[in-house]
Amino acid sequence: MSRAVVLSIVVHTVALLCPSIQMERDHDCNTELDEILNQISDLEKWRAIFNEHRNRDSSDQATFFQSSTVQFWLELRKYCVTERPPEKAKTDEDCEDSAGKPQSSAKERQGLTNLLPAPYSIPRTLAVSPSLGGLPITPELAGNLRRILFGNTFHVFNYEWKKSFFKFREPYSDLSYALEAEKGGSRAIQMVVQANIIKYLLFTCHNNSDGCRLQSLREVDEKEQERALAAALTDILWAAGEERGVTVSLVTSGYCFTPHLDYKLDNITERLQLFSFNKKKDVRSFIYEHIQCFKDEGSHGVILFLYSLILSRTITRLREDLDCTTSHLLHLSLGNFGCHQALMNLLLTGRASPNVFNGTLHYGEDGSPLEKPLHGVLARSDVGYLHWSRELLERNQLPMVGSMLKTPKLPIWLCSINGTYSVLFSPNRCLLSDWKMEHLFHLYFYNGQLTQQSTALLTVDTHSHHWEIGVKDTQGDPEKRFPSVEMTIRTKWEGAAIDWNNTVPFF
Ligand SMILES: *[C@@H]1O[C@H](CO)[C@@H](O)[C@H](O)[C@H]1NC(C)=O
Ligand SMILES: *[C@@H]1O[C@H](CO)[C@@H](O)[C@H](O)[C@H]1NC(C)=O
Ligand SMILES: *[C@@H]1O[C@H](CO)[C@@H](O)[C@H](O)[C@H]1NC(C)=O
Ligand SMILES: *[C@@H]1O[C@H](CO)[C@@H](O)[C@H](O)[C@H]1NC(C)=O
Ligand SMILES: *[C@@H]1O[C@H](CO)[C@@H](O)[C@H](O)[C@H]1NC(C)=O
């Protein structure tokens, strides 16, 4: 390995880091740079290491060179991250909100991307070795993945998606069961996984009374978080694979194929390695063994899970699930890719039906037969779905969620509120199987946002119907006066009175 190569890496690194540091913080740029250069002057060490390995054969050298470079980058990145001023973290948050203020945040994001050498482009440590087995992806399959996701082969996941992974909040805290959700389209997927994590912690892994169950959400340590995530991902994939077979995709080091001309490389899809299983427990232990590929920064965890979901459902079955209203799973909205309802239904029910009503619709509103039937939800799933949006309501376009989704097997609901996703749940397993339980009960609410510091407790009273009292004296639409979560709950329990246990309604 020549010195020139090593030096050129260093020069490249500094060149990459400098402009962004200057841009971010002009005043103390020089001290920053000195620090970095100091670290780099450790180069003697690297040289020695390289020299030591000079006589290895060339392929060996290449591998060694890669891993050393990665370490080197990681060192630099660690430096950047630890030295990051507190307001940087906020910039990170803000710039996700690209819809609101595209100009400034795009610039900030650029700065940030430069400062932290794009974590997703170097995580060889998160890439599995090709010797792990499995099958490399074929160019045909890569093209089909693109088409079923985007409707073509030249769209690729944007930065928001690439940086998304499954990140838990503080272990042993009030929210130790909770994932931090992004603001973009990947949030939808994170929140369905969140619902399944709650399912595991409340109803699968323990056999406790309601009170203890709730406690089990607060006492989650890091290992248990990982087990819960593995169980949640497995449950969703297993349902999509019709409880027969699942394919998990991970990223390997190195490219698996040379793409066709019309295929745009994205550095992830071409490197997929596919692992197939036909026993649920094997899927779960495999995912658990490689949980860092889903929960570590730079893992592209959400994308890998989405690919696994599609591969487990298979492209053929997906095409059968869809109907003439939806031809692919993601849609472009406000510069980001959002999830079509078909993808949400695939995550919730294992079948990518594009509509939220029950069953299959053969007739139009006027009673005449439809040329092609519309596909709705055929069976109840563990996790349900509620939908409310003031905008759609005002335009009279709020979809009527059918009983299959509104009344799931377990009292956990993914909620779509104004187009963002959150979860409502109850620790009372029998809530939906005994109508007397539904007179007066508690629901817990988590919206995935960092601003939420504890799980909200709502008391739902379906008996007294007093929520409209007081509304009559003030003119105007009651739906404008009530928090969105309440309106969402009332799409299932009509007219229910909802109490926020002395806290200020925040959503
Ligand atoms: C859970 O507890 C109930 C009684 O409280 C018992 O009947 C049931 O078998 C237990 N289930 C498991 C899986 O331990
Ligand atoms: C993919 O990685 C290569 C080098 O590893 C880099 O040059 C290229 O910009 C990356 N492409 C994307 C789309 O990230
Ligand atoms: C489907 O939903 C409708 C109303 O949304 C309901 O009337 C019907 O009974 C449901 N069918 C089944 C099989 O649950
Ligand atoms: C409501 O909140 C108070 C604290 O403000 C708490 O002590 C009480 O247990 C809560 N109510 C219920 C039903 O959990
Ligand atoms: C939903 O949108 C309406 C206006 O369209 C707004 O008043 C309401 O606060 C929003 N709810 C949430 C939770 O963002």
Side-chain angles (χ1 to χ4, degrees):
M1 189 62 57
S2 80
R3 280 159 76 141
V5 173
V6 177
L7 274 170
S8 93
I9 295 166
V10 171
V11 169
H12 196 70
T13 309
V14 174
L16 247 164
L17 285 165
C18 285
S20 53
I21 289 168
Q22 271 158 5
M23 195 159 105
E24 300 291 326
R25 291 192 283 163
D26 286 326
H27 53 289
D28 52 7
C29 163
N30 287 340
T31 44
E32 283 274 350
L33 262 183
D34 287 346
E35 277 289 333
I36 292 177
L37 288 171
N38 261 340
Q39 297 221 345
I40 290 170
S41 71
D42 256 340
L43 192 59
E44 283 308 320
K45 188 177 82 193
W46 294 96
R47 272 202 201 114
I49 296 170
F50 282 122
N51 284 338
E52 206 183 309
H53 292 265
R54 180 173 272 164
N55 295 327
R56 294 179 174 214
D57 72 65
S58 60
S59 70
D60 231 347
Q61 256 190 34
T63 332
F64 174 77
F65 176 66
Q66 270 183 359
S67 64
S68 308
T69 315
V70 168
Q71 267 175 23
F72 182 71
W73 275 101
L74 288 179
E75 279 300 316
L76 272 173
R77 208 180 106 218
K78 210 158 59 190
Y79 166 80
C80 292
V81 172
T82 49
E83 296 294 278
R84 216 149 55 120
E87 64 272 20
K88 285 296 300 160
K90 225 172 114 208
T91 312
D92 198 3
E93 262 266 280
D94 289 345
C95 74
E96 287 171 32
D97 194 3
S98 53
K101 36 182 175 10
Q103 285 310 82
S104 67
S105 57
K107 201 171 137 212
E108 279 165 7
R109 178 172 8 186
Q110 181 123 31
L112 189 74
T113 322
N114 287 344
L115 183 64
L116 301 177
Y120 52 80
S121 63
I122 43 118
R124 295 266 154 71
T125 46
L126 293 171
V128 296
S129 150
S131 66
L132 188 65
L135 291 171
I137 190 169
T138 62
E140 290 71 30
L141 187 51
N144 280 335
L145 282 175
R146 282 277 170 77
R147 273 184 281 269
I148 202 75
L149 279 168
F150 303 106
N152 58 54
T153 55
F154 46 86
H155 271 132
V156 293
F157 283 110
N158 58 4
Y159 175 71
E160 318 290 343
W161 277 86
K162 283 187 169 182
K163 78 178 168 79
S164 298
F165 58 102
F166 299 102
K167 182 183 186 188
F168 277 96
R169 298 183 66 159
E170 195 68 20
Y172 280 115
S173 70
D174 235 25
L175 289 173
S176 58
Y177 70 91
L179 293 174
E180 265 175 40
E182 316 282 325
K183 280 183 191 152
S186 54
R187 178 200 185 98
I189 295 177
Q190 288 164 325
M191 290 315 279
V192 184
V193 171
Q194 175 70 77
N196 281 272
I197 287 171
I198 292 170
K199 172 180 111 178
Y200 170 83
L201 292 171
L202 285 181
F203 303 118
T204 313
C205 71
H206 300 293
N207 191 14
N208 295 328
S209 64
D210 295 354
C212 300
R213 280 211 199 101
L214 259 194
Q215 199 53 30
S216 68
L217 290 183
R218 295 198 188 100
E219 287 175 353
V220 187
D221 64 13
E222 210 183 326
K223 275 279 156 252
E224 184 70 354
Q225 287 179 339
E226 291 177 355
R227 273 194 292 273
L229 178 59
L233 299 178
T234 303
D235 279 358
I236 296 171
L237 296 180
W238 190 242
E242 301 196 331
E243 313 198 335
R244 277 184 277 145
V246 158
T247 299
V248 179
S249 65
L250 299 177
V251 169
T252 62
S253 37
Y255 287 95
C256 296
F257 66 79
T258 324
H260 296 308
L261 276 181
D262 64 344
Y263 177 93
K264 188 171 167 194
L265 290 171
D266 64 11
N267 280 355
I268 302 173
T269 318
E270 310 84 54
R271 294 198 275 138
L272 292 184
Q273 192 82 4
L274 315 180
F275 302 86
S276 295
F277 304 91
N278 50 29
K279 287 205 186 77
K280 191 176 179 185
K281 71 173 186 4
D282 294 344
V283 183
R284 182 143 102 184
S285 52
F286 181 80
I287 291 181
Y288 182 65
E289 273 164 37
H290 298 96
I291 199 72
Q292 79 280 0
C293 299
F294 299 97
K295 72 170 269 281
D296 280 9
E297 189 173 3
S299 62
H300 320 296
V302 172
I303 294 179
L304 287 182
F305 173 61
L306 179 53
Y307 279 153
S308 305
L309 181 72
I310 294 170
L311 295 167
S312 298
R313 186 66 195 149
T314 74
I315 304 278
T316 316
R317 280 189 295 205
L318 273 173
R319 297 232 163 92
E320 290 163 8
D321 292 346
L322 298 174
D323 62 21
C324 59
T325 62
T326 308
S327 61
H328 51 275
L329 300 175
L330 299 177
H331 61 89
L332 201 55
S333 96
L334 301 170
N336 202 341
F337 289 106
C339 301
H340 271 304
Q341 189 63 42
L343 176 52
M344 301 319 293
N345 285 359
L346 174 59
L347 288 156
L348 291 166
T349 69
R351 194 184 285 268
S353 35
N355 303 289
V356 291
F357 50 71
N358 291 348
T360 308
L361 200 63
H362 294 278
Y363 299 93
E365 267 168 28
D366 55 357
S368 60
L370 294 171
E371 205 174 304
K372 291 181 180 144
L374 300 179
H375 298 167
V377 178
L378 300 180
R380 293 208 294 161
S381 46
D382 286 342
V383 174
Y385 178 74
L386 300 175
H387 191 164
W388 190 81
S389 154
R390 178 156 298 150
E391 204 192 317
L392 292 184
L393 188 80
E394 277 164 6
R395 285 195 270 140
N396 222 355
Q397 288 175 355
L398 195 63
M400 296 294 286
V401 179
S403 58
M404 293 297 185
L405 282 174
K406 266 192 194 169
T407 311
K409 291 183 195 159
L410 293 169
I412 307 172
W413 292 265
L414 176 76
C415 300
S416 169
I417 302 179
N418 283 356
T420 65
Y421 292 89
S422 47
V423 280
L424 274 172
F425 59 95
S426 158
N428 179 0
R429 183 176 207 130
C430 308
L431 179 66
L432 300 172
S433 48
D434 180 355
W435 59 271
K436 287 192 292 282
M437 299 275 184
E438 292 186 65
H439 284 169
L440 184 68
F441 56 96
H442 295 311
L443 284 182
Y444 293 82
F445 177 72
Y446 176 62
N447 70 10
Q449 289 168 17
L450 271 178
T451 47
Q452 187 173 346
Q453 292 300 325
S454 62
T455 312
L457 169 65
L458 307 171
T459 305
V460 182
D461 181 347
T462 57
H463 239 48
S464 43
H465 290 258
H466 52 63
W467 75 285
E468 282 167 311
I469 297 170
V471 175
K472 291 193 189 87
D473 5 313
T474 57
Q475 71 278 58
D477 187 350
E479 316 217 295
K480 287 219 165 81
R481 302 183 62 254
F482 285 94
S484 306
V485 175
E486 294 192 17
M487 297 315 297
T488 309
I489 292 173
R490 289 187 192 109
T491 64
K492 172 157 175 62
W493 292 281
E494 207 182 325
I498 293 150
D499 178 80
W500 288 70
N501 193 30
N502 302 323
T503 59
V504 179
F506 62 92
F507 206 78

